[in-house]
Amino acid sequence: MTKRLFFGIEVDEPGQAQIAAWLRTQVSASKAPTKQENWHLTLAFLGQVEAQHDAELVAFARQLQVPEFTLTFAHTGYWSGNGIFYLRPEPVPSQLRALAEPLRALGTELGLHRDRLPFSPHITLFRGHKTEPVVHAPMTPLTLSVTQFHLYHSYRCDTKGLIYQPIESFRLSAAD
């Protein structure tokens, strides 16, 4: 049996509330945003993964030694090709790349998914939006303390739509 998997960093509930309030009051869009409980930053998309790879993915993620770090989000972007409007962290800390790059390489090494594009960290707020949403005022910077990351299972549910369920969590090293 296969599962659609990815490694990611969750947006905590206070962060979700801040983003949701900003979208509601300062952004004009022609459709609803993605579900706030699904907001995350993808580290590595793995695609459809056979169960035989689960233990290897978990063992690899557990052995990563990356210190805790913070991400600050206040800048938006828009990819017209897929209509994705997003928040991006700035600056991009070296710890984020140190976490994402080996996870992305593992997906390629295992023949699961090969990323065609370079790592571009972001939180997707709208998907399939034909024109860029209008931002009336920038968001007050949101700082996320990253102390862990997750292996997520992505699936559709008839009653709840798209669900991103953490199936394993991995602590980062305590900052020095």
Side-chain angles (χ1 to χ4, degrees):
M1 182 172 157
T2 65
K3 290 186 275 199
R4 186 177 174 93
L5 300 179
F6 66 91
F7 286 105
I9 296 169
E10 74 178 329
V11 177
D12 59 20
E13 288 184 12
Q16 291 174 12
Q18 180 179 338
I19 295 168
W22 172 72
L23 287 175
R24 213 172 24 257
T25 61
Q26 301 300 327
V27 177
S28 296
S30 61
K31 64 185 294 187
T34 54
K35 295 188 327 187
Q36 72 183 54
E37 62 268 21
N38 282 349
W39 289 339
H40 68 281
L41 185 148
T42 299
L43 295 165
F45 177 73
L46 302 170
Q48 291 298 128
V49 179
E50 295 285 342
Q52 68 199 34
H53 290 298
D54 289 359
E56 189 172 3
L57 292 170
V58 169
F60 183 86
R62 288 210 189 290
Q63 60 83 35
L64 291 175
Q65 295 294 312
V66 176
E68 296 174 351
F69 58 96
T70 59
L71 293 172
T72 301
F73 294 89
H75 301 278
T76 61
Y78 177 73
W79 292 316
S80 60
N82 51 14
I84 290 182
F85 178 75
Y86 58 90
L87 281 173
R88 62 183 165 83
E90 201 170 286
V92 175
S94 60
Q95 299 95 321
L96 179 58
R97 292 196 186 285
L99 191 55
E101 288 170 4
L103 294 170
R104 288 165 55 99
L106 178 65
T108 300
E109 181 182 311
L110 294 177
L112 301 174
H113 180 77
R114 184 177 181 281
D115 288 294
R116 296 174 286 114
L117 300 171
F119 181 55
S120 182
H122 66 281
I123 299 168
T124 299
L125 302 177
F126 293 93
R127 180 177 279 110
H129 206 277
K130 293 188 186 334
T131 59
E132 184 171 356
V134 176
V135 176
H136 304 289
M139 187 174 80
T140 301
L142 164 66
T143 300
L144 290 180
S145 295
V146 181
T147 60
Q148 65 181 343
F149 65 102
H150 308 283
L151 178 61
Y152 286 90
H153 177 204
S154 168
Y155 63 95
R156 286 208 174 274
C157 174
D158 290 340
T159 57
K160 295 182 180 179
L162 186 60
I163 301 202
Y164 297 150
Q165 178 183 9
I167 55 175
E168 288 285 341
S169 297
F170 310 94
R171 301 281 313 161
L172 298 180
S173 309
D176 296 332

